[in-house]
Every structure is written in C-alpha cells, then in structure tokens.
Amino acid sequence: MTQRVELAAVMDRLAVDGLITDYAVAVDDGDWEAYRNLFTPDGRADYRSAGGIEGDAGAVAEWLAESLRLFSMRQHLIVNRRVRFEVLERDTGDTARVQADYVNPMRFAGDGSAAPDFVCGGRYSFGLLRTDDGWRLRDVVVREKWRRLPDGAGASPQAE
C-alpha cells in the first residue's frame, strides 16, 4: 500500500467512527433532525429486538421521539467497533459494515434518584455508504441482548 492509500483508509475509518458517534449523540440528545440526516434517502433502521419498530429513518425517528420521552436521561456507550470496508459496483471502499456493542443507561422522566432506572445492552450492525455528502447510514439493526429493569427487577437476556 502506498502512503496515500493508507492515509485514505485512516481518514475513512475516522469518518465512519464519527458517524457512529453522531448517531449515538443524536439519539441521546433527542435531535431527530440530526438523526434523519445521518441516513441515506432510502436508509432504514430496525429496533424490533428491543421492542421497537423497523422502517425508514423518518418513521423510526418519529417512533423514537415518542418512545424516548419516557426517559429524561439517555446515554449510549458504543464500543468494540469493528469496521469492514466492502466493494460496491467494483469500487473498493464505497460501503462499510460496522459491528459495535452498546450499553445504554436511561432514567425515567421525573425520577430524582442518582442511578439509572433502566439499562440495556446489545450489538449494533450498521451499513454505511459513501455519498457526495460523506458517509451515511443505509441501515441500522439493533440486537438487544440484555436489560436490567427498574428497582432491581433483574436482568433479562434476549434471544440473539
């Protein structure tokens, strides 16, 4: 590999990492316009394993906005990011897949306690496409693996 190719690969990895971070921040901050803008026009998200919906990014953003009103605090921690660049129409590196684990503590609105009321964790699968505007999400699939319910109700492993 030449230095130019290696530099391009590093820049792509940084851009992809930034997009995944922007995704988490948009959800945690409830910035649904930013959330929609992270996706390609035909982008989709699937939250069914966590009790949600599957659909285009606009419909999912509306569902998230309504569902997450229950929580006054949300904080995604997205870790162990595995990035794989793929080939689209014989052009190397125009698509990517990211697998990443998450932990998501949340506090119910109106709760004055210091500890989160609800914590869940699992794995994301992100499909990305390089566009004229930079990297965008084509698909997001959430695979919730576990959750801890309020008041120590216990952990609930989810089917993978």
Side-chain angles (χ1 to χ4, degrees):
M1 280 190 154
T2 67
Q3 284 184 336
R4 178 171 281 154
V5 170
E6 289 173 2
L7 179 59
V10 169
M11 297 301 291
D12 279 336
R13 282 190 179 275
L14 289 171
V16 164
D17 188 67
L19 181 63
I20 302 305
T21 298
D22 289 346
Y23 166 87
V25 170
V27 173
D28 291 343
D29 290 352
D31 188 343
W32 308 118
E33 182 68 23
Y35 178 91
R36 287 180 190 90
N37 289 333
L38 298 172
F39 286 82
T40 61
D42 62 344
R44 301 186 68 76
D46 182 349
Y47 290 81
R48 291 177 292 184
S49 79
I53 67 168
E54 186 275 335
D56 66 75
V60 171
E62 289 176 22
W63 173 80
L64 285 168
E66 185 62 33
S67 303
L68 294 179
R69 279 185 206 177
L70 294 171
F71 302 100
S72 61
M73 182 279 298
R74 302 180 292 272
Q75 183 180 33
H76 280 76
L77 307 171
I78 300 180
V79 299
N80 301 334
R81 300 175 195 203
R82 258 192 197 155
V83 179
R84 302 283 186 259
F85 292 99
E86 300 175 336
V87 176
L88 176 67
E89 298 175 8
R90 294 180 288 198
D91 288 329
T92 303
D94 286 335
T95 64
R97 297 283 330 156
V98 177
Q99 173 184 293
D101 296 328
Y102 70 90
V103 175
N104 184 202
M106 297 182 279
R107 177 168 301 119
F108 285 110
D111 182 1
S113 72
D117 296 304
F118 180 91
V119 182
C120 60
R123 181 164 287 160
Y124 280 110
S125 175
F126 297 97
L128 293 83
L129 177 68
R130 183 195 316 269
T131 72
D132 291 340
D133 296 320
W135 287 96
R136 294 291 181 265
L137 298 168
R138 285 196 307 185
D139 59 89
V140 175
V141 178
V142 175
R143 288 196 171 59
E144 185 176 280
K145 294 183 176 186
W146 62 272
R147 62 175 56 177
R148 187 177 65 225
L149 302 174
D151 300 319
S156 173
Q158 303 294 314
E160 288 191 46

